[in-house]
């Protein structure tokens, strides 16, 4: 039984769902843009209010307790209901609003700027998402999502608009046997063991780490560090320029690999008119980066 003398705070519920999604307080804190100790205190407040422990700390991060497992789907339902109530009121009041998610290396500044120019009275916000957070679309934390296909989202649940495609490149450390090659072929990489990925839904995902015995790694920076140390090699879209910031890495074009496709996805049947407006802008404002 709670003793705080107040109603359940949606903010605490959302914090809980993000920690549950990441299974790690540090990564959840970074996603929420709060300090990790503060996040821990807020989760403790929620547990005190509910009178049950929701999360256990383990060496790998955190895991849900039986109470947390029962509460998680209800927490998502509660947040979705609150979001729907907000949208209903805003729609009746004539307020246009959209939260736009984007992942990894994609830069959507031109799209957002043009959307704001065309709809100056609308509330337009953006949210950066890690590759593990594409579920933000399903649980309504974002209304639309810029990402690279394939995505672990059911085709019947989303509306997908292809925007552009990019070839692939290999990222290796300087001194690697392939570093001085003008190009490599997809067949040459076929025998390489792929490390587990956050959403390994096809043979050619947008971001792949290749190397025997490589553990699953979420942080992009940690992946590059793994490559620089010589323990792995990486396959990335050529538009991802982040590896170029490291002088100890070299990029090599890949021949014969499927292109990486950038898409805009939204929930099928979502009545938010700003999603259609976003699609109209994205089709012209977002293009492949110049080579």
């Amino acid at each position: 039984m709670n003793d705080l003398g107040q109603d359940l705070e949606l903010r605490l519920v959302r914090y809980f769902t993000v920690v549950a999604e990441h299974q790690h307080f540090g990564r959840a804190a970074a996603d929420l843009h709060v300090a990790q100790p503060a996040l821990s205190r807020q989760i403790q407040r929620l547990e005190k209010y509910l009178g049950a422990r929701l999360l256990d700390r383990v060496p790998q991060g955190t895991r849900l307790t039986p109470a947390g497992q029962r509460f998680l789907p209800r927490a998502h339902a509660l947040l979705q209901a609150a979001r729907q109530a907000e949208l209903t009121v805003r729609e009746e009041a004539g307020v246009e609003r959209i939260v736009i998610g984007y992942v990894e290396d994609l830069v959507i500044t031109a799209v957002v700027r043009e959307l704001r120019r065309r709809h100056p009275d609308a509330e337009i916000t953006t949210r950066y998402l890690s590759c593990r957070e594409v579920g933000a679309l399903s649980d309504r934390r974002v209304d639309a999502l810029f990402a690279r296909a394939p995505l672990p989202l059911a085709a019947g649940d989303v509306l997908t608009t292809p925007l552009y495609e990019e070839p692939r490149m290999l990222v290796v450390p300087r001194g690697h046997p392939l570093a001085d090659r003008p190009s490599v072929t997809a067949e040459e990489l076929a025998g390489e063991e792929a490390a587990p990925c956050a959403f390994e839904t096809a043979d050619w995902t947008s971001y792949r780490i290749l190397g025997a015995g490589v553990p699953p790694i979420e942080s992009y920076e940690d992946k590059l560090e793994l490559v620089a140390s010589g323990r792995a090699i990486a396959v990335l879209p050529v538009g991802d320029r982040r590896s170029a910031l490291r002088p100890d890495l070299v990029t090599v074009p890949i021949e014969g690999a499927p292109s990486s496709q950038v898409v805009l996805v939204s929930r099928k049947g979502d009545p938010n008119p700003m999603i259609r407006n976003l699609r109209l802008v994205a089709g012209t404002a977002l293009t492949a980066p110049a080579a």
Side-chain angles (χ1 to χ4, degrees):
M1 180 176 179
N2 81 80
D3 59 356
L4 299 183
Q6 59 185 23
D7 295 330
L8 178 62
E9 295 183 42
L10 290 178
R11 177 173 60 93
L12 303 184
V13 176
R14 177 169 171 265
Y15 282 3
F16 163 71
T17 62
V18 175
V19 176
E21 178 180 349
H22 285 280
Q23 298 182 34
H24 194 281
F25 268 94
R27 291 193 289 267
D31 177 27
L32 292 165
H33 304 290
V34 300
Q36 183 173 336
L39 177 60
S40 297
R41 289 193 297 271
Q42 297 306 318
I43 294 300
Q44 290 171 2
R45 284 187 59 204
L46 178 63
E47 291 175 328
K48 184 177 181 180
Y49 179 92
L50 294 174
R53 189 167 184 82
L54 302 175
L55 296 159
D56 283 333
R57 292 184 181 271
V58 295
Q60 297 79 16
T62 63
R63 67 184 177 192
L64 291 169
T65 65
Q69 293 174 359
R70 292 192 296 273
F71 182 59
L72 183 59
R74 292 170 173 81
H76 282 302
L78 182 61
L79 294 174
Q80 289 179 12
R83 171 67 171 152
Q84 189 58 50
E86 177 187 349
L87 290 176
T88 299
V89 173
R90 288 180 178 275
E91 183 176 343
E92 291 179 357
V95 178
E96 294 182 320
R97 182 177 185 270
I98 187 171
V99 180
I100 306 169
Y102 64 102
V103 302
E104 297 292 355
D105 64 300
L106 299 180
V107 179
I108 63 170
T109 307
V111 174
V112 176
R113 182 188 298 120
E114 178 62 16
L115 190 64
R116 285 173 174 158
R117 186 190 68 80
R118 297 188 186 186
H119 304 276
D121 296 327
E123 295 183 17
I124 301 169
T125 57
T126 61
R127 178 167 184 170
Y128 171 82
L129 303 170
S130 72
C131 69
R132 293 178 63 90
E133 296 181 274
V134 292
L137 181 67
S138 301
D139 64 22
R140 299 180 181 272
R141 280 182 283 151
V142 299
D143 301 303
L145 173 65
F146 288 94
R148 293 182 184 273
L151 294 170
L153 300 172
D157 296 336
V158 297
L159 183 61
T160 302
T161 300
L163 298 174
Y164 63 85
E165 295 184 353
E166 293 178 334
R168 315 274 182 152
M169 64 182 180
L170 182 68
V171 181
V172 297
R174 290 195 180 276
H176 189 277
L178 299 176
D180 295 327
R181 293 271 298 273
S183 65
V184 297
T185 65
E187 289 74 17
E188 291 178 272
L189 302 176
E192 295 282 351
E193 180 180 340
C197 176
F199 46 90
E200 191 80 17
T201 57
D203 290 338
W204 284 95
T205 53
S206 292
Y207 301 89
R208 305 187 77 207
I209 300 295
L210 306 178
V214 176
I217 297 177
E218 179 179 340
S219 165
Y220 182 87
E221 291 72 19
D222 287 342
K223 292 176 182 177
L224 291 186
E225 187 62 34
L226 195 69
V227 174
S229 69
R231 295 182 57 198
I233 57 179
V235 175
L236 305 176
V238 298
D240 189 334
R241 307 293 175 79
R242 292 173 291 177
S243 63
L245 300 176
R246 296 191 56 146
D248 52 356
L249 298 178
V250 175
T251 61
V252 183
I254 301 177
E255 298 179 359
S259 297
S260 173
Q261 186 179 63
V262 175
V263 297
L264 171 61
V265 293
S266 63
R267 294 178 294 274
K268 187 170 290 186
D270 194 320
N272 187 343
M274 286 300 295
I275 295 176
R276 178 179 178 276
N277 297 334
L278 175 62
R279 290 185 185 281
L280 293 174
V281 171
T284 57
L286 190 64
T287 58

